[in-house]
Amino acid sequence: MSSVWSGPAEHRGEKAPLRTFLALELPSDFIDEMERGLAPLKAAHEDFRWTPRTNLHLTLAFLGTTPVPAVDQLREVLLPLLREVKPMPIAAEGLHLFPPRRPASVLALGLGAGGADISRLATAIEEALLPLAQAVPLPDFRPSHRPFVPHITVARSGRFYIVLSPEERHLRISAQGIVTRCTFFSSVLQRGGPVYTPLWWWDFLGKQ
Ligand code: 2AM
């Protein structure tokens, strides 16, 4: 019996696929304000794995396994959409626990202002990428079955699920800023936490 399988990509002279995602970068004044608001939670829950400042972002699309040669192709597909986006004012609103109504492993900050525009952008991006998923291929990229919830993951569970008291759950965290950059990242999962590397980015042009 013969097989076309010839081992992992590296052994076939190709670069190993990346793990990628597209995200909005957060302005530093927004992060400063957000970190101040989160300080009491961080002090009370040292057991959570708090996202380091440099890893904070708002994911628009998680592509997962991505062949290296597709990185430029995806840029060409996404740029026409991103060119239409003006700098976006955003405001933090509310904390989310994911998954909702079950033991939570993610604590995230939601958005008020800017949330609806970001959801529309994420939906347009998904619609642009889905027809390509088989050809590229993007084996991990599938249609989402739930509405997009714009959020910034601020902590993941450590040894235990994330549990907040009712007061903590309703903590008001105010943070505002203007999002000006969308970045295509590769993510390498490491023991000490993921390492995100920008592969390309687009700065939104014009006035908000
Ligand atoms: P998050 O925005 O909820 O944190 C890089 O890993 C980013 O891609 C993370 O910020 C994470 O989402 C998102 N991500 C990682 N794995 C994912 C998956 N399997 N499905 C959807 N999004 C994922």
Side-chain angles (χ1 to χ4, degrees), residues 16-56:
L18 304 169
R19 179 179 192 269
T20 70
F21 66 101
L22 185 73
L24 296 173
E25 297 206 30
L26 300 168
S28 59
D29 45 354
F30 181 95
I31 296 182
D32 291 343
E33 243 186 299
M34 179 182 126
E35 295 276 30
R36 277 196 293 276
L38 287 171
L41 277 187
K42 285 196 178 187
H45 298 282
E46 288 180 356
D47 53 313
F48 297 175
R49 290 181 298 134
W50 292 93
T51 309
R53 184 184 172 104
T54 49
N55 276 6
L56 289 165

Side-chain angles (χ1 to χ4, degrees), residues 19-23 51 55-64 98 106-108 140 142 148-156 185-189 194 196:
R19 179 179 192 269
T20 70
F21 66 101
L22 185 73
T51 309
N55 276 6
L56 289 165
H57 61 264
L58 195 156
T59 303
L60 288 172
F62 176 74
L63 286 74
F98 296 125
V106 168
L107 173 64
D140 304 328
R142 295 188 189 90
F148 179 84
V149 178
H151 65 270
I152 298 152
T153 294
V154 294
R156 293 177 198 278
F185 286 100
S186 74
S187 159
V188 176
L189 302 178
Y196 301 145

Side-chain angles (χ1 to χ4, degrees), residues 55-105:
N55 276 6
L56 289 165
H57 61 264
L58 195 156
T59 303
L60 288 172
F62 176 74
L63 286 74
T65 306
T66 307
V68 173
V71 171
D72 287 343
Q73 180 192 353
L74 292 166
R75 183 174 182 274
E76 296 316 307
V77 170
L78 293 168
L79 276 190
L81 278 175
L82 298 177
R83 278 201 184 96
E84 300 298 316
V85 181
K86 300 259 187 298
M88 276 188 279
I90 57 165
E93 195 177 286
L95 289 169
H96 295 271
L97 292 173
F98 296 125
R101 293 178 292 279
R102 276 194 288 141
S105 52

Side-chain angles (χ1 to χ4, degrees), residues 68-186:
V68 173
V71 171
D72 287 343
Q73 180 192 353
L74 292 166
R75 183 174 182 274
E76 296 316 307
V77 170
L78 293 168
L79 276 190
L81 278 175
L82 298 177
R83 278 201 184 96
E84 300 298 316
V85 181
K86 300 259 187 298
M88 276 188 279
I90 57 165
E93 195 177 286
L95 289 169
H96 295 271
L97 292 173
F98 296 125
R101 293 178 292 279
R102 276 194 288 141
S105 52
V106 168
L107 173 64
L109 187 62
L111 285 194
D117 285 345
I118 290 172
S119 297
R120 272 193 291 277
L121 177 61
T123 303
I125 287 167
E126 182 178 282
E127 283 168 4
L129 292 180
L130 275 174
L132 302 175
Q134 270 205 308
V136 168
L138 299 170
D140 304 328
F141 191 73
R142 295 188 189 90
S144 54
H145 296 295
R146 291 188 216 102
F148 179 84
V149 178
H151 65 270
I152 298 152
T153 294
V154 294
R156 293 177 198 278
S157 53
R159 285 179 59 204
F160 307 104
Y161 289 118
I162 292 190
V163 179
L164 298 182
S165 69
E167 296 75 41
E168 288 175 329
R169 187 80 182 74
H170 294 104
L171 187 69
R172 287 176 68 92
I173 293 172
S174 62
Q176 298 190 355
I178 297 177
V179 170
T180 58
R181 177 172 288 186
C182 180
T183 301
F184 193 68
F185 286 100
S186 74

